[in-house]
Amino acid sequence: SGSCIAACSGTVSLSINQSSVAPSGSVTPTASGLTDCSSKAILFKKDSCAGTQVSSCSSSSWGCTGTSFTAPAATGSHNYYACVDKN
């Protein structure tokens, strides 16, 4: 007899280690809000999920913390996304 595997689900939420970072400062992203998503690749990208990858991690059942990356040297607001293929 076989066993069922729970489907990866949930709405991924992105947080960073602080709300503002100095230009060229270190940023540590965390993805959370997932359920049964162990071993899924979570890619942290700039501007959109089609944008430049800045970090990644392999998910536990709930999410994961990516490797730190360097913030842009230019001041201003920058948009980052946590992207996961739940299939």
Side-chain angles (χ1 to χ4, degrees):
S1 65
S3 62
C4 294
I5 297 173
C8 175
S9 63
T11 300
V12 67
S13 176
L14 170 65
S15 61
I16 60 170
N17 55 332
Q18 52 198 32
S19 60
S20 63
V21 177
S24 301
S26 180
V27 179
T28 304
T30 298
S32 60
L34 299 170
T35 303
D36 296 321
C37 293
S38 293
S39 300
K40 296 289 185 184
I42 298 179
L43 307 178
F44 299 97
K45 296 190 173 192
K46 188 173 188 319
D47 299 323
S48 74
C49 282
T52 301
Q53 182 177 321
V54 294
S55 182
S56 65
C57 56
S58 180
S59 183
S60 64
S61 63
W62 61 268
C64 57
T65 297
T67 53
S68 296
F69 65 94
T70 302
T75 59
S77 294
H78 302 278
N79 296 312
Y80 292 92
Y81 295 80
C83 310
V84 58
D85 182 351
K86 295 180 188 174
N87 294 320

